[in-house]
Amino acid sequence: MNWGTFYAVISGVNRHSTGIGRVWLSVIFIFRIMVLVVAAESVWGDEKSGFTCNTQQPGCDSVCYDQFFPISHIRLWALQLILVSTPALLVAMHVAHRHHIDKKILKRTGRGSPKELEHIKNQKFQITGALWWTYMISIIFRILLEVAFLYIFYLLYPGFKMVRLVKCDSYPCPNTVDCFVSRPTEKTIFTVFMLAVSGVCVLLNLAEVVYLIGRACKRCLRGSDEESKVAWISQRLSTYRQNEINQLIADHSLKSKLNVTKKSPTEKGEMCSAF
Amino acid sequence: MDWKTFQALLSGVNKYSTAFGRVWLSVVFVFRVMVYVVAAERVWGDEQKDFDCNTKQPGCANVCYDHFFPISHIRLWALQLIFVTCPSFMVVMHVAYRDDRERKYKAKHGNNSKLYNNTGKKHGGLWWTYLISLFVKTGIEVAFLYILHHIYDSFYLPRLVKCGVKPCPNLVDCYIGHPTEKKVFSYFMVGASGLCIVLNICEIIYLVSKRIARIANKLNRQKRQIAVSHNDHNEEPFDNSIDTMPTLSKKEQPPSFRSAVKSSHRPPGLKLEEKIRASAPDLSFL
C-alpha cells in the first residue's frame, strides 16, 4: 500500500464527482501528493542527521531536535493528505450501496442477466437525494480536516519561515547552545507552497459546496416534476413493481378484480428533496 | 512479498464480507497500512542509530537499546497487521472449499443440479466461519494492544532513559530519537486499532441479529402457512386482507404493494421477506 494504490482507490470516486470535485482531485494528486513524494520528502530526508548543535554533549542534538520539531512537517502533510482524501470513500461506499440495491431489485424481478448487471456497475448516478447529502457531508468533512490541519500547523510552527538557528538549553545541553537546522530556505519554500495549495483546496471545496447548493435550489425551483420528489429507491421499486403488476394482470386476466394503486410517498410531505 | 501483494490477496475477501467488513477493510488499508508505510516507517527508520548514550564505551548503546526496545513498535505493528487480516482468509478458503464441492457434485450429477444456491452466501457453515474469524480478529487486536501496553508501559516514550546494563560503566543517560513524533504515531495506530475493534464488535452484533431475524421470519412464515392452509376454501383469490407477505418494519417498507395473489400462487420472483436494504455493497470496483 503506497501512494500509487491510494491514487487508484481515490480516483475510482472521480466518476461520481462534480467538475469542481475532479479539479480538486487533480490538485491533490499533482500539486500535493506528487510534490510531497518527489520533492519534499528528499528535502526533509536528512532533517535529523543534518540538525547539528554546537556541543559535543551526546543527546543534546536529539533532545533539541525533539523540542523544536515535535512532529515533522512531512509527517503532518502525509497525515493531512490521507485524512483529507478519505471522505471521498464515503461517497464511493454510498454509490456501491446503490449499485447493490439496483442489482437486488433486478434479480428479484427476474432480470438478473449478466449483461444488465454489468450495465449497473458502470452506471453513473445523478447526485440527488441521499447521495447529495453524503456528498455534501464528505465535502464538509474535507474542509474541516483541512482547516484543522492548517490550525495544528500554525500551533506547532507559527510563521511559515524556517529559521536557520535555534537556541536550546534543555537537559543535557550544558548551557544555551546554538543548533542549526538543515536546508532552512528550501524548507521555507516548500512549506509556503504546500500551505498555499492547501488554501486553494479549501477554496475549491467551498466553491463546490456553493455549486451543489445552487444546483439543488435551481432544481427545486424548476421542478414540480413528480419524479424528482420521490425518493430514489421507491421510484425504482414502483417502476419494477408496476411491471410486475402488469405481468400478473396478463397472467391471471382478472382485470376487474384489481384495485392496485401506485402510492408515492409524497404523503410524508417531503419538502424539497429535489436535490 | 510486500504490502501491495498482501493487499491484492485481501481484496478477494471483499466479495464475501458484509458492509461492516468492507468498512473495516478500508480502515485497515487506508488508516493503518497506508499510514504505516508512508509515515510511521520513516519515523522509526533510524531508531537504533538515533539512540545516543552519554558514554564512549563501545557496546553500551547497543545493549541499552536492546534493553529498552525488545521489539520495536514498527515491527509489532507489522505483525499485528498481518495477523489481524489473516482470519479473513479462512472465509476465502471456506468459499473455495464450497466451490470445489459444488464442482465435484456437478461433475457427478450433471450440470443442472446444484448443491449450494450460492457458494458465497453466508448461510450454514460459512456463517459460522465468518463469525469465528471476527472473534479471532478481535482477539488478536486486543492481544497486540495488551502486548504493546505491557512492553512500553502505556506508550510512555521519554526523551531520556537511564541505563545501567553492562558494559555501561555506570548509570548513563541515553536519548531516544524523535520521541514526541513516535508518541503521536503510537496514539494514532492504537486509535485505529480501537476503531477496528469497535467495527468488529458491530459486525458481530449485526450478523447475530440478522440471523435471529431470519429465524424469526421463517417461524412466522411457517405459522402463517399453517393458518392459511386452513382457509384454503376462500373464494376471493385477490383478497387484500390476507397479507401473505411478512411485513417489513415501517422504516424499510417500500411503497405499499399489497399482494394481489393468494399465497399458493405467489410468483417466485416476489419474495420480499428479506430486507431490500443492501447488506453488502460491492466495493470491488475500488
Side-chain angles (χ1 to χ4, degrees), chain A residues 1-3 5-6 9 12 41 48 57-59 62-63 65-67 70-72 75 78-79 82-83 86 89 92-93 96-97 100-101 103-105 108-109 121 170-172 233-234 237-238 241 244-245 248 252 254 257-258 260-261 263, chain B residues 3-4 7 23 26 29-31 33-35 37-39 42-43 50 52-54 159-160 173 175-181 184-185 188 236 238 254-257 260-261 269 271-272 274-286:
Chain A
M1 188 76 182
N2 53 14
W3 289 117
T5 338
F6 190 64
V9 166
E41 264 181 1
K48 179 85 181 3
Q57 170 65 47
S62 259
V63 167
Y65 177 81
D66 188 63
Q67 184 184 333
I71 174 166
S72 166
R75 249 69 70 181
L79 274 179
I82 292 174
L83 289 176
T86 314
L89 290 178
M93 287 189 205
H97 174 83
H100 187 84
I101 293 189
K103 256 196 226 177
K104 262 201 170 165
I105 294 178
R108 290 266 161 78
T109 55
K121 228 182 186 181
S170 351
Y171 180 85
I233 182 176
S234 19
L237 278 171
S238 45
R241 289 248 174 70
E244 275 294 342
I245 293 165
L248 288 169
H252 296 275
L254 279 164
K257 289 281 185 179
L258 273 175
V260 179
T261 51
K263 283 190 199 144
Chain B
W3 289 113
K4 220 166 165 196
Q7 191 204 352
V23 173
S26 320
F29 277 119
V30 173
F31 289 111
V33 178
M34 179 98 200
V35 168
V37 168
V38 156
R42 310 283 165 90
V43 175
D50 284 341
D52 229 349
C53 284
N54 189 6
R159 280 181 190 169
L160 158 72
D173 292 338
Y175 302 93
I176 298 177
H178 305 259
T180 316
E181 213 167 356
V184 168
F185 275 96
F188 187 89
E236 281 284 326
F238 287 90
S256 49
F257 174 65
V261 187
K271 288 195 176 59
L272 287 169
E274 293 185 45
K275 299 175 194 166
I276 285 289
R277 175 160 305 184
S279 60
D282 181 11
L283 287 176
S284 52
F285 72 93
L286 282 180

Side-chain angles (χ1 to χ4, degrees), chain A residues 105-114 116-117 239-240 243-244:
Chain A
I105 294 178
L106 272 193
K107 280 200 178 138
R108 290 266 161 78
T109 55
R111 292 193 222 167
S113 66
E116 298 220 18
L117 294 175
T239 320
Y240 290 131
N243 293 338
E244 275 294 342

Side-chain angles (χ1 to χ4, degrees), chain B residues 8-275:
Chain B
L9 275 174
L10 269 171
S11 27
V13 176
N14 215 2
K15 268 196 286 173
Y16 311 116
S17 310
T18 60
F20 282 109
R22 289 170 187 184
V23 173
W24 176 88
L25 214 62
S26 320
V27 166
V28 165
F29 277 119
V30 173
F31 289 111
R32 296 174 77 179
V33 178
M34 179 98 200
V35 168
Y36 175 94
V37 168
V38 156
E41 247 181 350
R42 310 283 165 90
V43 175
W44 269 267
D46 270 343
E47 60 176 319
Q48 179 148 22
K49 254 191 275 159
D50 284 341
F51 189 78
D52 229 349
C53 284
N54 189 6
T55 175
K56 290 198 96 128
Q57 170 65 48
C60 179
N62 280 3
V63 167
C64 289
Y65 177 80
D66 189 62
H67 182 256
F68 285 100
F69 299 101
I71 175 167
S72 167
H73 293 72
I74 276 285
R75 252 69 70 182
L76 260 182
W77 288 328
L79 282 176
Q80 181 178 9
L81 285 170
I82 293 173
F83 284 144
V84 141
T85 39
C86 279
S88 310
F89 289 130
M90 278 168 40
V91 177
V92 177
M93 286 195 284
H94 194 142
V95 176
Y97 164 75
R98 275 189 173 188
D99 279 331
D100 197 48
R101 270 187 81 194
E102 179 89 21
R103 221 176 333 167
K104 289 199 180 123
Y105 188 80
K106 275 198 175 146
K108 205 168 167 194
H109 298 270
N111 258 341
N112 287 330
S113 55
K114 266 182 162 188
L115 193 57
Y116 296 105
N117 210 359
N118 178 2
T119 49
K121 211 151 163 66
K122 284 184 286 296
H123 286 160
L126 189 59
W127 187 86
W128 285 103
T129 309
Y130 196 79
L131 194 68
I132 291 171
S133 80
L134 285 175
F135 276 112
V136 172
K137 267 192 246 178
T138 315
I140 292 177
E141 293 268 23
V142 170
F144 269 93
L145 281 179
Y146 177 71
I147 292 174
L148 192 73
H149 165 87
H150 183 77
I151 296 182
Y152 292 109
D153 202 6
S154 276
F155 328 121
Y156 175 62
L157 214 60
R159 280 181 190 169
L160 158 72
V161 287
K162 291 196 185 284
C163 172
V165 189
K166 276 203 145 132
C168 302
N170 48 38
L171 207 67
V172 299
D173 292 338
C174 291
Y175 302 93
I176 298 177
H178 305 259
T180 316
E181 213 167 356
K182 287 179 180 172
K183 224 190 310 188
V184 168
F185 275 96
S186 296
Y187 285 137
F188 187 89
M189 295 298 271
V190 167
S193 292
L195 177 64
C196 286
I197 291 177
V198 167
L199 280 170
N200 280 334
I201 293 177
C202 288
E203 200 175 356
I204 291 174
I205 295 174
Y206 169 76
L207 267 183
V208 170
S209 43
K210 214 169 94 153
R211 176 77 173 244
I212 292 177
R214 216 188 309 147
I215 294 177
N217 267 337
K218 220 194 290 185
L219 289 173
N220 248 347
R221 229 185 319 138
Q222 281 175 353
K223 248 191 270 172
R224 281 220 183 86
Q225 280 183 343
I226 295 171
V228 163
S229 66
H230 289 322
N231 292 340
D232 229 352
H233 54 273
N234 193 350
E235 292 297 322
E236 281 284 326
F238 287 90
D239 190 346
N240 284 348
S241 64
I242 297 178
D243 186 2
T244 55
M245 301 296 186
T247 49
L248 305 168
S249 69
K250 272 254 171 335
K251 257 196 289 180
E252 300 131 16
Q253 196 138 34
S256 49
F257 174 65
R258 291 275 164 216
S259 163
V261 187
K262 217 166 73 168
S263 67
S264 49
H265 293 282
R266 187 170 48 204
L270 268 179
K271 288 195 176 59
L272 287 169
E273 64 269 15
E274 293 185 45
K275 299 175 194 166

Side-chain angles (χ1 to χ4, degrees), chain A residues 218-266:
Chain A
K218 205 167 55 161
R219 223 179 293 149
C220 193
L221 292 170
R222 192 195 345 135
S224 50
D225 189 350
E226 171 112 4
E227 271 205 27
S228 60
K229 286 211 167 108
V230 171
W232 172 83
I233 182 176
S234 19
Q235 190 187 345
R236 278 287 209 280
L237 278 171
S238 45
T239 320
Y240 290 131
R241 289 248 174 70
Q242 194 57 47
N243 293 338
E244 275 294 342
I245 293 165
N246 293 340
Q247 205 171 352
L248 288 169
I249 295 172
D251 285 345
H252 296 275
S253 59
L254 279 164
K255 291 183 191 164
S256 53
K257 289 281 185 179
L258 273 175
N259 190 17
V260 179
T261 51
K262 184 172 90 168
K263 283 190 199 144
S264 75
T266 46

Side-chain angles (χ1 to χ4, degrees), chain A residues 96-140:
Chain A
H97 174 83
R98 275 198 177 179
H99 279 152
H100 187 84
I101 293 189
D102 246 357
K103 256 196 226 177
K104 262 201 170 165
I105 294 178
L106 272 193
K107 280 200 178 138
R108 290 266 161 78
T109 55
R111 292 193 222 167
S113 66
K115 201 174 61 177
E116 298 220 18
L117 294 175
E118 269 309 303
H119 169 74
I120 282 198
K121 228 182 186 181
N122 300 328
Q123 200 177 31
K124 188 178 142 138
F125 285 111
Q126 275 267 309
I127 302 181
T128 50
L131 187 59
W132 187 92
W133 284 105
T134 309
Y135 201 79
M136 207 50 175
I137 289 171
S138 80
I139 300 182
I140 290 176

